Amino acid sequence: MNLATATNEHLANISNTLIYSAMAVYTLAFFAYIAEWIFGSRSKVARTAAALTSGTEKATPAVTVKSAGATAVLERPQVVTRSATGARDVPDGPGAHGGDEQGDLYGRIAVSLTVVAWAVETAGVVARALSVQRAPWGNMYEFSVTFSTVAVTVYLAFLLARKDIRWLGLPLVTTVLLDLGLAVTVLYTASDQLVPALHSYWLYIHVSTAILCGAIFYVGAVGTLLYLFKDSYENKLANGGRPGSFATSVMERLPSSASLDKFSYRVNAAVFPLWTFTIIAGAIWAGDAWGRYWGWDPKETWAFITWVAYACYLHARATAGWKGRKAAYIALIAFACFLFNYYGVNIFVSGKHSYAGV
């Protein structure tokens, strides 16, 4: 064994150690996010929301008396009602901490641990790249590890831009742990060089943009899923229903359904042009590697299906009668197409993209 080989193996071992270390820190962050939600459920906001939705009949706001010179003015507290068909004037919730100081403290700790885990995982990805002396996304293991790193990067970038999306922390860290667990157990592949077809600068362009698109699509999908839950909750309240205490505690702390819907739409709309570029870049790379730009390979086909699905979502989102829940369902179907293109096609379908194995 020469010195270069020994060095590469040592770097690969360092990379594996760093990935496992990142998983450990992500686990601590997971429990900190759980603590934020638990303490937030005991906050004044949650208790008030539960009181307003309890009882056999809808509560009537108390009437207060306000003095205005010699005139007594009766003033009722503002009541949130549906302003128009399909629209509501519902304020955003305070976040997972629910206004509880201790819950907010755990939330800040969770974000700090997420940053540490992200830094360790990023170091693991860099060590993997150094061990193979190429871009660290030549197989499903490397793609999965890099994907989770980029997904956390997107989340932290939103926080750095002062966007109040800490409610995304718990589902994100949960997904990252599942992704890394699958990567190190089922998808793990030892460091190795790529087949000649992959030795191209298009590897850096095409695959990196695909990873970035997937990470942003994931953020949009979580927002869409939460929108569906929050919209159902608001519908139930508007129709005089009484959601359970758990649903009330969670839903009252999330942004309004309108805010979640807007957030998901903006995220998906912003990344859609980049996904279009990803497909074009892949076609150009295919022309260089295989002598043809498009051959309806399973990976190419499902990438196009994903593009069509997101195009349908954006069109539906701008079409009267398809806004809201119908468009949200299309968005989730589109993200499911992306996931199948990654996992399903790579594992169950053979094609020209199968050379890297898992």
Side-chain angles (χ1 to χ4, degrees):
M1 181 182 296
N2 56 40
L3 179 60
T5 302
T7 301
N8 291 340
E9 289 187 0
H10 180 63
L11 287 171
N13 291 332
I14 292 176
S15 173
N16 295 339
T17 301
L18 289 171
I19 295 301
Y20 278 106
S21 299
M23 292 177 65
V25 182
Y26 277 129
T27 302
L28 295 177
F30 170 80
F31 286 115
Y33 281 119
I34 288 287
E36 179 186 19
W37 280 94
I38 290 176
F39 281 98
S41 69
R42 301 166 58 183
S43 69
K44 180 180 179 181
V45 171
R47 291 197 303 270
T48 302
L52 290 175
T53 56
S54 63
T56 57
E57 297 180 355
K58 295 180 66 175
T60 302
V63 178
T64 58
V65 178
K66 177 182 177 181
S67 297
T71 305
V73 179
L74 295 179
E75 181 181 47
R76 293 181 180 274
Q78 182 181 4
V79 180
V80 175
T81 59
R82 185 185 298 245
S83 58
T85 303
R88 304 183 190 89
D89 183 17
V90 179
D92 291 336
H97 57 82
D100 182 86
E101 292 185 4
Q102 194 167 7
D104 182 62
L105 174 62
Y106 278 109
R108 294 178 183 276
I109 292 173
V111 172
S112 299
L113 290 171
T114 303
V115 172
V116 173
W118 168 82
V120 174
E121 186 181 12
T122 301
V125 172
V126 172
R128 177 77 176 197
L130 294 175
S131 71
V132 295
Q133 299 179 358
R134 57 168 172 78
W137 44 72
N139 50 58
M140 287 186 69
Y141 166 74
E142 294 174 354
F143 190 101
S144 295
V145 173
T146 307
F147 173 83
S148 61
T149 305
V150 175
V152 176
T153 303
V154 172
Y155 168 68
L156 295 178
F158 273 112
L159 293 180
L160 192 62
R162 299 188 181 279
K163 302 297 183 181
D164 187 14
I165 63 164
R166 208 163 74 189
W167 45 266
L168 183 64
L170 181 57
L172 172 70
V173 170
T174 303
T175 305
V176 166
L177 284 172
L178 292 174
D179 176 70
L180 291 179
L182 183 64
V184 300
T185 55
V186 178
L187 303 177
Y188 182 77
T189 303
S191 300
D192 198 4
Q193 292 303 312
L194 300 175
V195 297
L198 291 182
H199 286 286
S200 170
Y201 60 88
W202 285 106
L203 173 67
Y204 294 89
I205 300 173
H206 172 64
V207 183
S208 63
T209 54
I211 293 173
L212 178 60
C213 288
I216 299 176
F217 279 145
Y218 164 78
V219 172
V222 174
T224 300
L225 190 62
L226 292 177
Y227 155 74
L228 290 173
F229 284 115
K230 187 63 182 279
D231 185 65
S232 296
Y233 172 79
E234 291 177 1
N235 278 333
K236 193 168 186 177
L237 285 180
N239 294 325
R242 292 177 288 120
S245 58
F246 177 78
T248 298
S249 174
V250 173
M251 292 296 124
E252 287 295 322
R253 286 178 277 162
L254 290 176
S256 67
S257 62
S259 295
L260 289 169
D261 185 38
K262 185 184 298 182
F263 170 79
S264 302
Y265 169 71
R266 288 179 174 176
V267 166
N268 289 325
V271 76
F272 181 73
L274 186 60
W275 181 247
T276 304
F277 170 79
T278 301
I279 296 177
I280 295 173
I284 296 174
W285 187 12
D288 290 343
W290 302 318
R292 55 96 177 135
Y293 293 103
W294 195 268
W296 295 106
D297 180 76
K299 180 71 72 171
E300 297 168 349
T301 301
W302 276 95
F304 179 69
I305 291 174
T306 303
W307 184 91
V308 170
Y310 274 108
C312 289
Y313 162 71
L314 295 177
H315 178 72
R317 188 63 173 64
T319 303
W322 279 88
K323 295 180 180 180
R325 298 185 69 87
K326 290 181 180 179
Y329 291 137
I330 298 176
L332 292 181
I333 291 173
F335 185 67
C337 291
F338 176 87
L339 290 180
F340 181 78
N341 186 34
Y342 173 55
Y343 287 105
V345 172
N346 282 22
I347 296 175
F348 302 112
V349 183
S350 297
K352 284 185 173 292
H353 288 78
S354 303
Y355 40 67
V358 297

